[in-house]
């Protein structure tokens, strides 16, 4: 034991104050065992060496500052977007979000086309990615052999580390030809009557953007869903199997039902990634500012138009309109996440009511 620590212990033993129990024991004739220091004496000794009130108060205010910084960051982003888009807001008003026009020559701008392209590609991505992600998570968690579970989990998480521009290049050289030559003709032949898969078939369009977004958000949804499913107690599985359920019924009722709130949360994060994705979508969506029912036709997203035309903004109104599109993307993200939070709250409330 170091010399300084030994001296502190000896000082503590010398300056220790008897506790009420020791006092009573002394009065009754009993003695305190040698070398035993009561808790009150330890606390008094530590308090005598230094007061921790300043450190506690400082730590408390530091944590409050960290929490408040989130509100400050959001407020700064919103205030800057609003300030920079004042020119466009003053000229077009709320109608900016409901106009399809986008003509820098005449100075007529509207964000509806880009909002449609962003939401359409994100919805397509969710339709493809959610079932696939849940299927991958179920297989890895419940059905995969042990020797295969590690490599599959590693490869799934590796997809999230691939840069966006690499996904875009792969989509241009691989995905676009596959969709244009093999997949889209089948969709036009079988589902063309719906109007969602009507010509033209250029290979680049909202459908292609949705597919590449689905691949990009798959590791996010799958990894979080797998973690949530792993957190479900094994007793839930055993109880369902003990009642005579099949393996599929056990997964459906014992695992997925208990993990549904976490799965919704993972879908929210995946949707947030899809809404804000820029490079990969820009390379395959076609970048045409028009609203067409067919998903095979070219489109435009809010993030893409900002990335493509921000450096080309030749006047203040043009730049202000692009910043207001960024404000629209900000608002759409808040609204979508708010609706998702309401969904989670509704599911949680329903579960609580059933438990009660």
């Amino acid at each position: 034991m170091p010399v300084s620590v030994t001296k502190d212990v000896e000082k503590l033993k010398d300056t220790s104050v008897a506790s009420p129990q020791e006092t009573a024991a002394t009065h009754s004739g009993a003695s305190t065992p040698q070398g035993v220091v009561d808790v009150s004496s330890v606390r008094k000794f530590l308090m005598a060496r230094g007061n921790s009130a300043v450190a506690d108060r400082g730590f408390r205010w530091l944590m409050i500052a960290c929490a408040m910084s989130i509100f400050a960051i959001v407020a700064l982003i919103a205030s800057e977007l609003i300030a920079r888009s004042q020119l466009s807001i003053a000229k077009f008003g709320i109608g900016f979000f409901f106009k399809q026009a986008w003509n820098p020559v005449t100075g007529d701008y509207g964000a509806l086309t880009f909002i449609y392209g962003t939401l359409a590609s994100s919805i397509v991505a969710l339709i493809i990615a959610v079932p696939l992600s849940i299927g991958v998570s179920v297989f890895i968690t419940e059905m995969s052999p042990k020797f295969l579970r590690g490599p599959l989990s590693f490869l799934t998480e590796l997809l999230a580390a691939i840069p966006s521009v690499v996904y875009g290049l792969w989509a241009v050289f691989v995905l676009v030809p596959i969709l244009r030559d093999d997949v889209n003709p089948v969709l036009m032949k079988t589902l063309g009557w719906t109007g969602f898969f009507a010509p033209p078939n250029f290979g680049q369009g909202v459908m292609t953007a949705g597919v590449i977004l689905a691949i990009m958000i798959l590791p996010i949804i799958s990894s979080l869903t797998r973690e949530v499913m792993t957190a479900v107690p094994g007793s839930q599985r055993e109880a369902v199997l003990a009642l005579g359920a099949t393996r599929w019924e056990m997964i459906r009722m014992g695992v997925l039902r208990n993990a549904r709130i976490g799965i919704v949360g993972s879908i929210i994060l995946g949707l947030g990634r899809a809404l804000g994705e820029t490079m990969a979508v820009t390379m395959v969506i076609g970048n045409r500012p028009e609203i067409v029912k067919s998903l095979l036709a070219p489109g435009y997203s809010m993030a893409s138009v900002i990335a493509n035309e921000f450096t080309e903004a030749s006047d203040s109104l043009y730049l202000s309109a692009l910043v207001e599109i960024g404000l629209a993307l900000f608002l759409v993200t808040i609204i979508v996440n708010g609706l998702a939070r309401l969904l989670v709250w509704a599911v949680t409330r329903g579960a609580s009511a059933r438990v009660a």
Side-chain angles (χ1 to χ4, degrees):
M1 181 180 297
V3 178
S4 59
V5 177
T6 306
K7 292 181 178 179
D8 289 342
V9 173
E10 292 176 353
K11 186 188 301 182
L12 176 62
K13 292 179 180 179
D14 295 337
T15 59
S16 62
V17 180
S19 63
Q21 291 82 359
E22 291 177 328
T23 304
T26 304
H27 291 168
S28 61
S31 60
T32 304
Q34 186 177 3
V36 177
V37 182
D38 61 289
V39 177
S40 61
S41 299
V42 173
R43 181 169 180 79
K44 289 181 179 180
F45 175 72
L46 293 176
M47 292 180 65
R49 296 191 61 177
N51 190 358
S52 61
V54 176
D56 289 342
R57 191 179 298 110
F59 179 76
R60 178 173 177 269
W61 283 110
L62 179 61
M63 294 302 101
I64 293 176
C66 291
M68 292 299 103
S69 65
I70 303 300
F71 294 98
I73 291 172
V74 175
L76 287 174
I77 293 174
S79 61
E80 187 67 18
L81 290 174
I82 294 173
R84 296 287 182 175
S85 59
Q86 279 299 315
L87 187 61
S88 177
I89 294 174
K91 183 171 183 178
F92 303 110
I94 193 66
F96 178 82
F97 300 108
F98 303 98
K99 289 177 58 177
Q100 299 186 34
W102 186 259
N103 193 340
V105 177
T106 61
D108 192 14
Y109 302 101
L112 183 61
T113 302
F114 312 110
I115 294 175
Y116 169 80
T118 301
L119 294 179
S121 58
S122 299
I123 291 173
V124 171
L126 288 182
I127 292 174
I128 298 173
V130 170
L132 185 59
S133 301
I134 295 177
V136 171
S137 303
V138 169
F139 178 78
I140 294 176
T141 307
E142 305 294 334
M143 305 175 65
S144 174
K146 290 185 178 180
F147 72 91
L148 192 59
R149 188 172 302 167
L152 277 178
S153 301
F154 173 76
L155 290 176
T156 303
E157 296 171 357
L158 182 63
L159 289 176
I162 299 177
S164 174
V165 67
V166 175
Y167 277 112
L169 290 173
W170 177 83
V172 169
F173 293 111
V174 178
L175 185 61
V176 170
I178 291 176
L179 292 177
R180 182 185 61 232
D181 302 332
D182 300 323
V183 178
N184 290 350
V186 176
L187 293 175
M188 288 189 295
K189 184 177 180 180
T190 57
L191 298 174
W193 57 272
T194 62
F196 291 107
F197 301 99
N201 179 22
F202 299 129
Q204 292 187 342
V206 177
M207 180 70 179
T208 309
V211 173
I212 195 63
L213 283 177
I215 298 174
M216 295 179 69
I217 67 176
L218 186 149
I220 298 175
I221 301 176
S222 178
S223 298
L224 295 175
T225 301
R226 188 172 68 251
E227 294 297 327
V228 172
M229 293 175 62
T230 304
V232 175
S235 58
Q236 296 285 344
R237 299 172 174 84
E238 296 172 359
V240 176
L241 291 174
L243 294 174
T246 63
R247 192 174 193 180
W248 155 241
E249 291 173 337
M250 179 271 292
I251 295 174
R252 179 171 59 88
M253 295 185 294
V255 179
L256 293 178
R257 181 174 295 180
N258 289 285
R260 64 188 182 278
I261 298 176
I263 294 174
V264 172
S266 67
I267 294 173
I268 294 172
L269 293 178
L271 178 60
R273 171 71 186 275
L275 289 173
E277 182 53 44
T278 305
M279 282 306 302
V281 175
T282 303
M283 298 171 74
V284 299
I285 199 172
N287 301 324
R288 180 184 296 176
E290 60 182 23
I291 297 177
V292 182
K293 183 179 179 181
S294 176
L295 298 176
L296 305 182
Y300 224 159
S301 69
M302 290 184 283
S304 298
V305 69
I306 296 174
N308 283 335
E309 303 185 19
F310 189 81
T311 57
E312 301 176 2
S314 55
D315 57 80
S316 301
L317 182 61
Y318 193 1
L319 181 61
S320 180
L322 289 174
V323 176
E324 191 172 1
I325 290 177
L327 178 62
L329 179 59
F330 184 74
L331 295 177
V332 167
T333 304
I334 291 178
I335 292 172
V336 169
N337 281 274
L339 292 175
R341 291 291 180 182
L342 287 177
L343 177 61
V344 173
W345 173 79
V347 173
T348 307
R349 184 188 61 172
S352 301
R354 284 192 293 272
V355 171

